[in-house]
Amino acid sequence: MTNRLRIALAQLNPKVGALAANLALARTALTDAAVAKADILMLSELFLTGYFPDDLLFKPQFVDDAIATANALVAATKGLSVSLILPTIWRERGVLYNAVLVAENGEISAVRYKRELPNDDIFYEKRYFTAGPLPEPVTIRGVSIGIPICEDVWHPWVCAQLVRLGAEILLCPNGSPYWKNKQHVRKDLVRARVTEDRVPLLYLNQVGGQDELVFDGASFGMEADGKLVFQGKSFATDFIISDWAYEADGWTCVKGTVTPLTSVDEAPWRACVLGLRDYVYKNGFKQVVLGLSGGIDSAVVAAMAVDAFGPENVHCIMLPYRYTSEASLTDAKDCAERLGVRYDVVSIGNPVDEALHELAPVFGNRAPDLAEENIQSRMRGVVLMAVSNKLGSMLLTTGNKSEMAVGYATIYGDMNGGYNPLKDLLKMQVYHLAAWRNAHHPGDSLGPAGEVIPQPIIDKAPSAELRPNQTDQDSLPPYPVLDAIIEALVEQELSVKDTVAKGFDLALVKRIEKLLNIAEYKRRQSAPGPKLTAKAFGLGRRYPITNGYRDESAS
């Protein structure tokens, strides 16, 4: 048994289904580990398939190809001194498992299966995999090592079993997505495990955006006493080396670097930017386009896009109508100039007026209402989609969670787009992030520093500007109130009665609950966006569209 170990954790950004590209990333990591003279290299959960492949796992050819790719990576370890911990799908006697292989010198020296399969929230692994038995440790360099796979570490009996059977160190590969406070939740979890079992634990997480999920990396290691001994970058790839020595009281880290976590203010901005960047690039686009209205939501999305792609790859278009204020025209242009993006003005006046003219015989003498207002929004959607089609840019939509909760958005209009960076941000959170970005320059930003969002945009009352002198509060309660009610009804799943008990008016809460329920059909047709909370619309909260239930708890 050796008394020294150098362990490499590859915190990388795989793409679901991209077997060849992920294999290339893994081969590079193997080379880097060999150059660093690492004894062990660990990849993140289901690295070669990407996490999570969903119903690709029902496609037999995909499963065959993924297993063949795993075998190719095993073969790549021949002649290397590095032992590879490779999380992958694996098949035994026709049964599919979420597994890890230990590969050494071109051969598989051990196979272990994930015991605890998540079956809630966003992952439904029991739909695809069979749970393995309580795992046994593996032996690498004469050292007994336990490998709990992601969810396994949330269940104390898995780690306890490994330690009872002699594991001296725990190495845990993960695919753990970000949402609010998740980084601290993970730390508390691991601290509980090492305190219980009195062995160190190295926690590897992947990084990158995958549809609505954002993986934030921030891999870390803790000694048996709960001391944090290394930590990787947040929201960025990293190759993390730590050195360990065996002493009388067990394994301790003798060399490791602790990179500070992103702040709780910066984390949601970085998550939105990373999710946006990867969604666009991984789907084959290079540029984005969006409507820049002079309001807070589109300004924040434009700033996020510039941070993600650089100003040269962001195209902003103002689409004025007769109700567009001079202040909005001024503010939109100012914002575009500060960000350095291409900015065009395309009036929708003639197309809207022509549509209203042609519809007059159908509408008859009915008074103007939402139908006429929505034509403006839908015409903007038509123009923006035309630009997207012609220039090959992905259209971004800009509705926030508050608006999406109550249906304050026009389907096939301002909801048009391939991705929505604000989808899981309440309106007041959007304002908070705007102020934060003006005062800070994120580490991975490709955009300019300084006040990129003009203060007048932050200060003025929000308005869709679909009729004269309109403000959002003509139709909605003040956003601080609306956001608090949404947080109670959605994030906390409180009853109407319990929400009212927080101090809100009963009639208002019942109205918001009704709007929340009847807007489900819009949300089901909305663009994906980064999941930032435990109860994001879509992935994380699935309600039926046709739904006869109404909460009468406070009636």
Side-chain angles (χ1 to χ4, degrees):
M1 168 183 164
T2 182
N3 61 0
R4 293 287 189 274
L5 282 175
R6 174 166 288 182
I7 302 174
L9 305 183
Q11 181 178 293
L12 302 176
N13 187 347
K15 177 181 176 180
V16 165
L19 299 174
N22 296 340
L23 176 60
L25 287 175
R27 287 181 184 274
T28 299
L30 262 178
T31 300
D32 292 343
V35 169
K37 295 182 169 54
D39 299 296
I40 299 172
L41 168 67
M42 182 164 66
L43 299 173
S44 55
E45 185 176 15
L46 295 185
F47 181 81
L48 295 174
T49 62
Y51 195 84
F52 189 75
D54 292 318
D55 282 9
L56 280 173
L57 295 171
F58 287 148
K59 190 175 184 67
Q61 187 61 54
F62 175 77
V63 173
D64 291 345
D65 290 345
I67 292 173
T69 304
N71 282 318
L73 186 56
V74 169
T77 64
K78 187 172 182 61
L80 299 178
S81 60
V82 180
S83 297
L84 172 65
I85 295 177
L86 169 57
T88 180
I89 62 172
W90 201 246
R91 190 168 48 203
E92 183 178 331
R93 298 188 181 94
V95 176
L96 196 64
Y97 294 95
N98 184 335
V100 290
L101 312 180
V102 179
E104 298 174 300
N105 196 30
E107 303 289 339
I108 297 172
S109 61
V111 181
R112 295 292 183 269
Y113 300 130
K114 189 173 184 176
R115 168 67 177 181
E116 301 296 336
L117 302 178
N119 199 47
D120 53 24
D121 192 37
I122 53 177
F123 297 126
Y124 296 88
E125 291 195 21
K126 290 183 180 179
R127 177 176 166 89
Y128 311 102
F129 297 125
T130 296
L134 278 171
E136 298 179 358
V138 302
T139 301
I140 300 176
R141 300 290 195 274
V143 179
S144 183
I145 294 175
I147 311 176
I149 304 173
C150 198
E151 184 74 14
D152 286 342
V153 81
W154 292 79
H155 302 272
W157 49 85
V158 178
C159 293
Q161 161 84 352
L162 289 164
V163 173
R164 185 178 66 82
L165 295 177
E168 303 166 39
I169 302 178
L170 301 176
L171 303 182
C172 182
N174 294 267
S176 177
Y178 165 84
W179 56 75
K180 184 179 179 181
N181 295 325
K182 189 72 173 290
Q183 295 176 329
H184 301 288
V185 170
R186 294 188 199 116
K187 290 261 183 45
D188 292 342
L189 169 76
V190 170
R191 187 169 285 109
R193 291 295 87 83
V194 300
T195 301
E196 294 160 357
D197 299 318
R198 307 306 300 168
V199 296
L201 192 151
L202 286 70
Y203 184 105
L204 169 62
N205 193 24
Q206 74 173 60
V207 72
Q210 175 58 41
D211 294 345
E212 293 169 282
L213 297 180
V214 179
F215 298 90
D216 54 304
S219 305
F220 63 95
M222 281 189 183
E223 290 180 340
D225 61 359
K227 178 185 176 183
L228 183 71
V229 291
F230 70 79
Q231 186 164 260
K233 298 175 183 177
S234 301
F235 303 103
T237 58
D238 206 353
F239 194 75
I240 306 159
I241 300 287
S242 59
D243 290 334
W244 296 78
Y246 185 80
E247 299 173 352
D249 55 350
W251 288 91
T252 58
C253 183
V254 295
K255 186 179 181 181
T257 300
V258 176
T259 302
L261 289 175
T262 53
S263 70
V264 293
D265 290 320
E266 181 178 2
W269 185 277
R270 294 284 296 274
C272 290
V273 169
L274 178 57
L276 170 60
R277 180 187 293 133
D278 276 0
Y279 189 82
V280 169
Y281 284 156
K282 288 181 179 180
N283 284 289
F285 290 83
K286 297 179 180 179
Q287 296 178 318
V288 296
V289 61
L290 67 143
L292 191 64
S293 68
I296 187 67
D297 296 324
S298 62
V300 169
V301 170
M304 287 176 172
V306 168
D307 278 0
F309 310 112
E312 68 278 9
N313 293 311
V314 179
H315 184 185
C316 292
I317 303 177
M318 159 58 85
L319 301 124
Y321 188 57
R322 66 181 63 140
Y323 305 127
T324 303
S325 67
E326 284 299 321
S328 291
L329 290 166
T330 299
D331 293 341
K333 182 179 180 182
D334 186 13
C335 185
E337 290 175 347
R338 291 173 187 234
L339 290 169
V341 300
R342 175 180 173 179
Y343 176 71
D344 290 313
V345 178
V346 179
S347 172
I348 60 167
N350 289 338
V352 170
D353 290 344
E354 283 296 315
L356 291 172
H357 174 75
E358 296 296 331
L359 286 166
V362 179
F363 284 3
N365 294 324
R366 294 173 178 84
D369 56 16
L370 280 175
E372 286 81 3
E373 293 181 14
N374 286 341
I375 288 172
Q376 299 169 52
S377 180
R378 292 192 173 108
M379 192 61 68
R380 291 184 173 107
V382 168
V383 173
L384 290 169
M385 280 304 306
V387 173
S388 172
N389 291 161
K390 180 61 72 173
L391 302 185
S393 303
M394 180 181 286
L395 174 59
L396 304 182
T397 183
T398 62
N400 60 70
K401 189 174 187 176
S402 304
E403 296 169 351
M404 296 306 300
V406 296
Y408 193 67
T410 305
I411 194 167
Y412 320 125
D414 59 327
M415 287 176 62
N416 282 6
Y419 194 79
N420 180 2
L422 305 186
K423 187 174 184 178
D424 202 22
L425 286 168
L426 296 168
K427 185 75 170 189
M428 298 310 298
Q429 292 171 331
V430 176
Y431 279 108
H432 179 81
L433 283 180
W436 179 87
R437 178 58 180 87
N438 277 351
H440 299 84
H441 193 224
D444 64 343
S445 171
L446 299 178
E451 192 176 270
V452 294
I453 299 170
Q455 192 62 38
I457 290 179
I458 298 174
D459 292 340
K460 69 183 176 184
S463 171
E465 294 191 328
L466 299 176
R467 61 178 182 267
N469 303 313
Q470 181 186 22
T471 69
D472 290 3
Q473 269 56 69
D474 297 340
S475 305
L476 301 172
Y479 278 115
V481 175
L482 177 61
D483 287 359
I485 294 174
I486 292 170
E487 186 167 3
L489 294 174
V490 176
E491 307 285 341
Q492 302 174 42
E493 290 286 11
L494 294 185
S495 66
V496 168
K497 180 179 179 181
D498 290 341
T499 302
V500 171
K502 286 177 164 288
F504 299 108
D505 176 71
L506 172 60
L508 177 59
V509 173
K510 290 182 72 89
R511 176 180 167 231
I512 299 305
E513 190 224 11
K514 179 182 178 181
L515 292 173
L516 182 64
N517 286 328
I518 64 177
E520 187 63 36
Y521 82 100
K522 287 187 180 182
R523 293 191 291 270
R524 195 72 66 90
Q525 299 179 67
S526 64
K531 176 180 167 63
L532 306 176
T533 66
K535 290 292 182 179
F537 290 129
L539 196 61
R541 185 183 187 273
R542 295 176 173 89
Y543 269 57
I545 296 173
T546 306
N547 176 13
Y549 177 74
R550 294 296 180 266
D551 183 350
E552 302 295 340
S553 61
S555 297

